[in-house]
Amino acid sequence: MHFEYSVVLIYLTVSAVIVGLALWLGRFLRPNLPDPQKAQIYECGERPIGSAWFNFNPRFYLIALVFIVFDAEIALTFPVATVARGWIARSDGTGWVAVVEILLFFVILLAALAYVWGKGELDWSRELTSPEEMP
Amino acid sequence: MVPTVPPAVSPHRRPPRGTVRAYFRNIRLALSTAFDGMSVTMSYMFRRPLTIQYPDKIDKPVQEMLPESYRGVLEVDMDRCTVCLQCQKICPLGCINIESCKNPETGNREVTKFDIDIGLCMYCGLCAETCNFDALDHTREFEATVTTPDQMILHFVEKPREVTKLKAAEMPVRKHKGSILQKMIPAFGRRHPQEVWTPTAYAAAPVPALKAPTATPKPAAPVASAAPSAADSPTPEQAP
Amino acid sequence: MNIMHYLADLLVRSLFKADPATWPYTWIAYAVVIGVGALLAFAFVAIFAGPVTWIERRIAGRIQSRIGPNRNGPQGCLQWLADGIKCWLKEDLVPATADKPLYLAAPYLVFTGMFGAFVVLPFGAHVIAADLNVGLLYILAVTSLVVVGLLMAGWGSNSKWALFGGVRSAAQLVSYEVPSAFSLMAVVLMAGTLSTQGIVGAQGGWPWQWFVFRNPFLFAAFIMYFISAIAEGNRTPFDLPEAESEIIAGYNIEYSGMRFLFFLFAEWANMWIMAAVATLAFLGGWQIPGISPERIAEAKGWTFVGWQALSFAIFVFKGTCLVFTIIQIRWTLPRLRVDQLMITCWKYLVPLSMGSATGVLLLMALVREGGIVDWVMRGAMLLVGLLVAGAYIRKVRATFMADRDNYKKMEGRDLWYPPYRLP
Ligand code: SF4
Ligand code: SF4
C-alpha cells in the first residue's frame, strides 16, 4: 500500500525533474538575446493594447457550477458502483439496494440537468429580455 | 405570368428543432456522417498522391513539365538582336537597359550593354511580344535565385559586340530557349561558386544606375540611348 | 505482488545480502528502482509520442493527396528528432508583462499531470508501476492537473489569445470529464473494481469477452468514452482551445522552445493515455487470447518474460490502433463551434452516458452472467461490430472505385497506391 503510493509520488517527482532538467540543460544550448520587442505579447503584429487581465463574458460560466455538482456526484457514485457487483452477486436482495441507490443518484442529477436545460443555460445565445440583462 | 418557385420540400425535411425526433435524428446523423467521412479519408490512403517532389525524385526537370507559353525569366539571343530598342521602350517598368554606339574604326554599330533587371520585371511579356526578331523571349526557367541583389541584373553583353545586319530570315536559328540563361544565373544548377552576401558587402557594392523609361532618347535617334561610361566602351561616341 | 517491489527486494537480497524487511536503506533501493521505472515510462512516452507526430503528418499527407515530411532520415522518420532538437536550441522567451511564476510553472503542471497517469496504466500482465485500488478514479483525478496547468498558462501569459484559449480549454475539459466518467462508470459496474488490472482481469483475450461487446449499453459507452477522450485530449474536431483560425494557438501562444515542446509533448502523450484507458476498459487490455492470467502468473523464467512481452505487444498494438483512429478523425471531421461543443457534451453525451450506465446496471441486476441471454447479447453485439466493420470496408472500396476510372482516363495511371508504397 505504502509502496504503491510512493510510486505515485516518485513518478510525479521524476516527471517534474525531467522538465526542469531539460529546461536547465537547454540553457547551455540556446541563445539568450533579450530584446524588448521579443518580450512583447503577440497580438498579430500590432502593439498590444492594454493588459489581458480584464473581465469578459466567457459564457457557460453556469456550466462550471453544474460541473461541480456532477463531479461531486460522480465521486460519490463511484464507490457504490464499485461494490454494486459484489452485492448483486450475493443474491440476498442487497443488490437492489445498490441499484436503487445509484438510480436515485442519477435521478437527482437528471433533474438538475433538466432544470438547467429548461432554463436555457446550455444554449449559447439566450434572449435578453430587458436592457438590464445586457452584458 | 411569373412562375412561382415551388417550396423546396424534400422527403427528408428537418423535423422542427427541439423535438425528440430532431434529437435522435441528430445522433443518427452525427454517427452516419462521421462514418461516411471516415470512409472517404480512408480511401485516400490507397490513392496516389498528387505531389511532384521538386527538385529531385522526378522523372524530368520541372522546366520541361511547364507549358510552352510559361513566362519565366527573360533571355535575349544577341545573334538575332538588332538593337531596335522596341523592347526597352515598351517595358512599363524600365527593366531593360540597352546602350550602343558606332565603332569609329569599322563604322559598325556596336552594342555595349543589354541589361535586364529580373528583380524589377513583372513578367508581363510585353517586351517579348514586341520583339520582331524572336531575340527576346521568356524561358521556362524560374529558379532565379541569386546571392546578392546586384546579380539580379542580367548582363547579356559582356564586351561590345557588333550588331547584326542580317534580315530576320537570314539570321541564325534561335538558340534553344534557356541555354543562354543557364550560363548566367549561378543558382541554375549551382554551376558557379556561391558568393556570400553580407550587408556590408551589399552596401559597398556600386548601385547599378537604372534608367527610367522616360530617359530614353527620342525616336529620331534610335541608335544610342545614353552616353556609355568611358570605362565600358573602348571608343565612346555619342549618337547623333 | 508489484513487479517493481519484487525487483527491488531481489536487488537488496542479491546485491547487499540484506533482508529488505529489516535493512535500514531499503527505501533508497525502492526509490532508485521506482525512479528507473519512471524513466522507462518516460522513454516509452518519448519514443511513442515522437514518431507518432511524424506518422500523423505522413497520414495527413496521404489523406490530402500529399506526401508529408520525407526528407530527414529514411522517409523522414527522423523528423521528430529534428523538431525536438530545434525546439531545444530555441531561445526561451518570457513576455515582460507576464505573470512569471504562473507562466514558468504551467509546463510543469501539464507534464506532471499527464505523466502521473502512467502509474496505473497496465502495459502487460505484470508490467505496471503500481496497481492502485482506485486506478480509474486516480487517472480522472491526476489528469485534471492538466486543466490547472492550461489555465495557468492562459492567465499567466497576459495575452488575450492565451486567455481565451485557457478558458476555453478549461470549460471543455471539465465538461467532457462528466461523460467520460459516466462511461467509465459503466465499466466499473461491470468489473466491480476500480483497479486497472482488475478491470482488465474481468475481461478476456477473445473479442466476445471484451467489455465493448458485452451488451449494447457498453458498446454505446465505448463510443461515448472515445468521443469525450478526444475532446479531453484537445484533438480535432474538439480542438477549440488551439483553433488557429480564431485564437492563433490558444494557451501556448507565448511559449517558445522547450517550454512549448512540453505542452505539445503532453498533448501527444495524452492521446496515448486516452487510447490506453479505452483499451484497458473496453477492449480487453493486454489479455492474450486463450491464455488465462493465472497461467501467466504461474509461468517461470523465460516463459514468464515471454508472456509479459506478448501481453505488452498486444496492449500497445490495441492502443496504437485507437491512436491511429484518433489521427484519422482529426483529418476527417471539421472543427465544432463553441456552442456546438458544449451542446454535444451537455445535451447529448451526458444524458446518454448516464443512460448507458443505468442500462448496464439494470442488465447486471436482471440478466445472469453466463446465462443464455448474456451469450445471445454478446453474439449479437459481436455481429453488430463485424457488420459495421464490413460496411466500412465496403464503403471505402466503393468510394475508391467511384474515382478510379476517371483517374485512369485523366492521368493515364492507376489510382491504386497502397499505404506501404512510400513515394
Ligand atoms: S516582361 Fe514586362 S516588365 Fe519584364 S522586361 Fe518585359 S516588358 Fe518589362
Ligand atoms: S526588341 Fe528584340 S531586336 Fe529589338 S532590341 Fe529588343 S531584343 Fe533586340
Side-chain angles (χ1 to χ4, degrees):
Chain A
M1 190 70 184
H2 292 304
F3 186 85
E4 319 259 86
Y5 284 96
S6 55
V7 170
V8 175
L9 194 67
I10 291 177
Y11 260 60
L12 295 184
T13 321
V14 165
S15 64
V17 167
I18 285 171
V19 179
L21 207 64
L23 289 172
W24 180 74
L25 281 179
R27 184 175 284 194
F28 304 108
L29 298 172
R30 65 191 175 219
N32 187 21
L33 309 162
D35 184 323
Q37 298 247 314
K38 283 187 201 166
Q40 269 186 5
I41 296 295
Y42 175 72
E43 229 162 76
C44 306
E46 301 285 326
R47 289 253 164 73
I49 301 166
S51 143
W53 296 326
F54 56 88
N55 290 342
F56 70 104
N57 179 7
R59 308 279 180 139
F60 298 114
Y61 75 101
L62 228 96
I63 283 192
L65 299 180
V66 182
F67 162 74
I68 289 171
V69 175
F70 268 80
D71 225 28
E73 290 271 349
I74 286 169
L76 291 176
T77 321
F78 257 109
V80 186
T82 314
V83 298
R85 186 180 184 79
W87 285 11
I88 287 170
R90 253 195 267 165
S91 77
D92 58 354
T94 37
W96 288 107
V97 177
V99 171
V100 170
E101 202 172 343
I102 293 176
L103 288 186
L104 209 63
F105 272 134
F106 281 5
V107 166
I108 296 171
L109 279 184
L110 276 179
L113 188 65
Y115 177 75
V116 180
W117 194 335
K119 288 276 274 185
E121 300 291 353
L122 299 182
D123 297 322
W124 175 259
S125 50
R126 280 181 297 137
E127 276 175 26
L128 300 170
T129 43
S130 63
E132 291 88 75
E133 266 196 73
M134 298 283 276
Chain B
M1 197 187 138
V2 182
T4 50
V5 181
V9 179
S10 82
H12 308 292
R13 203 173 45 169
R14 259 165 177 253
R17 296 186 63 171
T19 58
V20 177
R21 259 186 65 214
Y23 185 85
F24 285 103
R25 181 176 177 275
N26 282 345
I27 295 172
R28 187 173 53 77
L29 274 183
L31 291 177
S32 66
T33 49
F35 181 84
D36 287 358
M38 297 281 285
S39 59
V40 169
T41 45
M42 184 49 105
S43 83
Y44 271 82
M45 294 300 290
F46 301 97
R47 297 186 192 207
R48 191 181 290 276
L50 297 177
T51 308
I52 294 167
Q53 295 203 60
Y54 168 81
D56 54 350
K57 297 195 192 178
I58 38 181
D59 318 334
K60 51 183 180 182
V62 179
Q63 280 84 355
E64 288 170 31
M65 297 186 206
L66 295 168
E68 268 300 325
S69 54
Y70 182 81
R71 296 211 292 259
V73 178
L74 288 162
E75 127 189 312
V76 54
D77 184 352
M78 290 311 294
D79 289 344
R80 292 178 68 93
C81 175
T82 58
V83 196
C84 65
L85 297 186
Q86 290 305 313
C87 52
Q88 182 178 11
K89 265 178 229 151
I90 200 141
C91 176
L93 302 178
C95 321
I96 304 177
N97 190 8
I98 310 172
E99 285 173 7
S100 66
C101 58
K102 189 171 261 174
N103 191 328
E105 287 159 26
T106 57
N108 288 332
R109 277 173 65 212
E110 280 187 355
V111 53
T112 54
K113 191 169 173 186
F114 198 120
D115 288 359
I116 300 179
D117 188 347
I118 57 167
L120 195 59
C121 174
M122 62 175 176
Y123 303 94
C124 64
L126 285 176
C127 53
E129 201 75 23
T130 198
C131 179
N132 288 327
F133 301 93
D134 199 14
L136 184 65
D137 214 339
H138 286 287
T139 60
R140 289 187 291 178
E141 296 286 345
F142 59 92
E143 299 156 306
T145 318
V146 289
T147 43
T148 64
D150 54 338
Q151 286 176 352
M152 291 276 211
I153 297 168
L154 303 180
H155 308 289
F156 285 93
V157 177
E158 290 292 341
K159 51 179 186 285
R161 59 173 291 164
E162 219 166 275
V163 174
T164 182
K165 289 190 189 112
L166 300 171
K167 298 237 156 43
E170 300 160 351
M171 281 179 182
V173 189
R174 174 75 162 84
K175 290 202 194 72
H176 181 68
K177 271 177 203 163
S179 58
I180 306 165
L181 203 59
Q182 274 164 1
K183 298 200 190 79
M184 300 185 63
I185 298 188
F188 286 172
R190 299 207 178 278
R191 290 182 189 89
H192 303 288
Q194 301 287 301
E195 281 176 55
V196 180
W197 182 75
T198 54
T200 37
Y202 177 51
V207 180
L210 262 179
K211 225 167 287 296
T214 47
T216 47
K218 286 131 220 97
V223 177
S225 61
S229 67
D232 280 351
S233 57
T235 50
E237 188 203 326
Q238 194 64 40
Chain C
M1 181 70 179
N2 187 306
I3 187 101
M4 290 208 297
H5 202 167
Y6 174 77
L7 283 178
D9 281 356
L10 201 68
L11 192 77
V12 171
R13 272 206 207 91
S14 56
L15 211 60
F16 301 105
K17 306 273 178 288
D19 182 18
T22 53
W23 198 47
Y25 306 114
T26 313
W27 64 274
I28 298 182
Y30 284 178
V32 167
V33 169
I34 297 170
V36 170
L39 287 181
L40 281 180
F42 176 74
F44 174 83
V45 192
I47 291 172
F48 185 82
V52 165
T53 57
W54 165 68
I55 290 172
E56 159 153 16
R57 288 165 72 184
R58 290 303 296 259
I59 290 179
R62 287 305 290 271
I63 285 178
Q64 298 173 343
S65 283
R66 299 185 283 115
I67 289 168
N70 67 343
R71 298 280 158 159
N72 293 332
Q75 283 299 326
C77 66
L78 298 179
Q79 181 71 42
W80 61 282
L81 220 55
D83 290 345
I85 291 171
K86 183 195 80 172
C87 272
W88 217 0
L89 299 180
K90 287 237 166 180
E91 191 176 350
D92 188 28
L93 296 178
V94 183
T97 49
D99 187 334
K100 289 241 163 52
L102 286 188
Y103 180 89
L104 297 181
Y108 288 88
L109 273 182
V110 171
F111 190 76
T112 308
M114 176 280 295
F115 198 69
F118 274 82
V119 175
V120 292
L121 288 189
F123 281 96
H126 290 84
V127 190
I128 179 169
D131 185 16
L132 300 184
N133 53 4
V134 289
L136 273 189
L137 209 56
Y138 168 78
I139 290 184
L140 286 180
V142 82
T143 45
S144 302
L145 265 184
V146 176
V147 187
V148 181
L150 298 188
L151 261 182
M152 275 165 65
W155 183 258
S157 300
N158 193 1
S159 162
K160 282 137 201 159
W161 304 127
L163 179 63
F164 286 142
V167 170
R168 270 190 187 189
S169 73
Q172 173 176 337
L173 261 67
V174 300
S175 295
Y176 277 87
E177 211 164 284
V178 175
S180 81
F182 276 123
S183 319
L184 288 179
M185 193 180 284
V187 171
V188 171
L189 280 168
M190 278 305 276
T193 169
L194 280 169
S195 123
T196 46
Q197 285 289 39
I199 290 170
V200 174
Q203 307 171 61
W206 300 107
W208 54 85
Q209 293 168 317
W210 299 352
F211 275 157
V212 60
F213 294 128
R214 280 288 178 88
N215 61 45
F217 295 107
L218 279 169
F219 193 79
F222 170 66
I223 293 174
M224 280 183 283
Y225 176 75
F226 198 63
I227 294 172
S228 19
I230 295 173
E232 279 189 83
N234 283 344
R235 300 281 303 180
T236 323
F238 305 103
D239 64 341
L240 285 142
E242 36 201 84
E244 66 279 348
S245 51
E246 300 161 26
I247 48 172
I248 322 294
Y251 51 82
N252 56 23
I253 187 168
E254 292 301 334
Y255 286 85
S256 70
M258 210 55 187
R259 280 181 213 281
F260 172 74
L261 191 68
F262 275 112
F263 278 109
L264 222 62
F265 192 76
E267 192 179 304
W268 287 95
N270 225 347
M271 197 162 86
W272 162 254
I273 291 171
M274 297 305 168
V277 173
T279 306
L280 78 90
F282 293 98
L283 299 182
W286 47 259
Q287 292 267 19
I288 310 168
I291 310 288
S292 72
E294 291 79 36
R295 240 181 97 186
I296 297 176
E298 281 162 12
K300 290 270 172 316
W302 286 111
T303 335
F304 181 76
V305 177
W307 288 139
Q308 300 300 335
L310 186 58
S311 59
F312 179 81
I314 287 178
F315 187 75
V316 172
F317 173 74
K318 286 176 184 172
T320 314
C321 285
L322 285 184
V323 167
F324 284 161
T325 314
I326 297 177
I327 289 176
Q328 200 199 339
I329 288 176
R330 170 167 183 189
W331 297 101
T332 303
L333 300 178
R335 185 182 296 133
L336 267 67
R337 227 167 45 209
V338 183
D339 60 328
Q340 289 171 336
L341 177 91
M342 286 300 176
I343 286 171
T344 310
C345 176
W346 288 99
K347 288 195 180 171
Y348 290 89
L349 289 179
V350 169
L352 290 178
S353 58
M354 274 165 86
S356 75
T358 317
V360 169
L361 183 68
L362 291 178
L363 276 185
M364 260 172 58
L366 297 174
V367 176
R368 195 169 56 83
E369 190 154 329
I372 184 101
V373 184
D374 189 26
W375 278 105
V376 167
M377 244 174 356
R378 288 190 196 191
M381 288 324 291
L382 202 59
L383 202 67
V384 167
L386 287 178
L387 283 180
V388 169
Y392 183 63
I393 292 170
R394 268 183 61 120
K395 185 102 188 168
V396 170
R397 190 167 177 278
T399 325
F400 179 81
M401 285 316 215
D403 292 342
R404 190 179 199 169
D405 291 343
N406 282 340
Y407 189 86
K408 182 107 195 167
K409 249 180 248 157
M410 276 163 55
E411 300 275 323
R413 283 187 299 179
D414 197 7
L415 184 56
W416 175 252
Y417 204 85
Y420 51 80
R421 270 184 74 177
L422 299 168

